[in-house]
Amino acid sequence: QKEVEQDPGPLSVPEGAIVSLNCTYSNSAFQYFMWYRQYSRKGPELLMYTYSSGNKEDGRFTAQVDKSSKYISLFIRDSQPSDSATYLCAMSARQFYFGTGTSLTVIP
Amino acid sequence: DTAVSQTPKYLVTQMGNDKSIKCEQNLGHDTMYWYKQDSKKFLKIMFSYNNKELIINETVPNRFSPKSPDKAHLNLHINSLELGDSAVYFCASSQDFGTGGYEQYFGPGTRLTVT
């Protein structure tokens, strides 16, 4: 079983839609939970991070962590074409583990 | 001013050759990493390194070796290149993990093609 599971998509939504991206994990030692965005032919860039359980909001982005279910989510409100990218979840105890990424396309 | 830089951006070489990829960070971070991203976009850690500890992913062949001349640089040497080594290699850095080094900054990647 992989440490982190993420549905690769692809996911295609109309502009303005709410997007929900999810990951599950198996290692209960994970404490830091992150979401990265990767545009084509670029390196990943950190979008949001959360320590332990709870919610965190930053503009149109909300990250949720449910440690009891070993489940994390990223919500994007009012999605824009510029949000079209691959979204990678990541988590760490001492080492970092990434999901496989979900490819998102927001159609104008 | 680039935070994490890598050279070269593209590398095409033949099987059996030895090559190096260079990485530099100007963020003052203590820990640096090498990742491999395959054609399916799966990002897999190869090494993490600071001045105290080298952590090697046990699945990485010993043909791959990190070399750090100083805290700001972590180069990746690859010996006897194989077709399966073709991928995008990313360098990253973060603060020392003990101080909450959850935020990694990635370089632009080096696209390696082995023919």
Side-chain angles (χ1 to χ4, degrees):
Chain A
Q1 184 187 8
K2 282 184 184 173
E3 297 273 1
V4 180
E5 298 277 359
Q6 183 176 8
D7 185 342
L11 189 60
S12 185
V13 302
E15 183 175 354
I18 296 174
V19 176
S20 172
L21 304 166
N22 310 294
C23 288
T24 58
Y25 63 95
S26 56
N27 189 343
S28 57
F30 289 143
Q31 293 289 335
Y32 293 99
F33 302 90
M34 292 141 283
W35 285 96
Y36 284 81
R37 178 175 61 196
Q38 185 176 21
Y39 291 114
S40 181
R41 295 186 174 263
K42 299 285 185 184
E45 55 177 332
L46 182 67
L47 263 181
M48 301 197 63
Y49 73 89
T50 311
Y51 175 69
S52 196
S53 281
N55 293 359
K56 188 169 185 178
E57 188 173 319
D58 183 2
R60 297 185 295 110
F61 298 90
T62 300
Q64 288 185 351
V65 174
D66 181 349
K67 289 191 74 177
S68 61
S69 303
K70 297 190 176 68
Y71 188 87
I72 72 170
S73 301
L74 177 71
F75 297 95
I76 307 174
R77 290 183 298 280
D78 187 24
S79 55
Q80 302 296 309
S82 59
D83 295 328
S84 298
T86 297
Y87 290 81
L88 301 131
C89 63
M91 40 204 84
S92 60
R94 288 202 71 225
Q95 278 283 31
F96 286 83
Y97 296 88
F98 281 79
T100 50
T102 300
S103 175
L104 171 67
T105 300
V106 180
I107 303 166
Chain B
D1 202 16
T2 306
V4 182
S5 59
Q6 294 179 230
T7 54
K9 194 169 182 180
Y10 298 96
L11 182 56
V12 181
T13 188
Q14 293 183 328
M15 283 174 52
N17 285 348
D18 302 336
K19 290 293 179 184
S20 295
I21 306 172
K22 295 185 177 181
C23 178
E24 177 181 3
Q25 55 96 2
N26 62 7
L27 298 166
H29 286 164
D30 294 313
T31 305
M32 297 183 72
Y33 310 82
W34 278 106
Y35 286 87
K36 179 181 179 180
Q37 189 171 47
D38 61 25
S39 57
K40 294 184 180 179
K41 294 282 191 177
F42 182 51
L43 198 62
K44 186 175 178 182
I45 192 162
M46 301 175 71
F47 306 99
S48 62
Y49 182 79
N50 62 22
N51 58 1
K52 301 166 199 154
E53 193 175 11
L54 170 66
I55 301 175
I56 302 171
N57 185 319
E58 61 190 14
T59 66
V60 174
N62 58 15
R63 298 182 295 103
F64 291 80
S65 58
K67 295 196 192 308
S68 180
D70 55 57
K71 199 172 95 164
H73 297 83
L74 184 66
N75 303 325
L76 181 65
H77 295 268
I78 316 170
N79 295 326
S80 303
L81 278 155
E82 300 177 358
L83 291 176
D85 297 333
S86 296
V88 181
Y89 292 84
F90 287 101
C91 176
S93 73
S94 72
Q95 292 177 337
D96 183 78
F97 207 87
T99 58
Y102 44 74
E103 185 168 350
Q104 293 186 315
Y105 290 84
F106 282 80
T110 295
R111 188 171 293 270
L112 171 65
T113 303
V114 182
T115 62

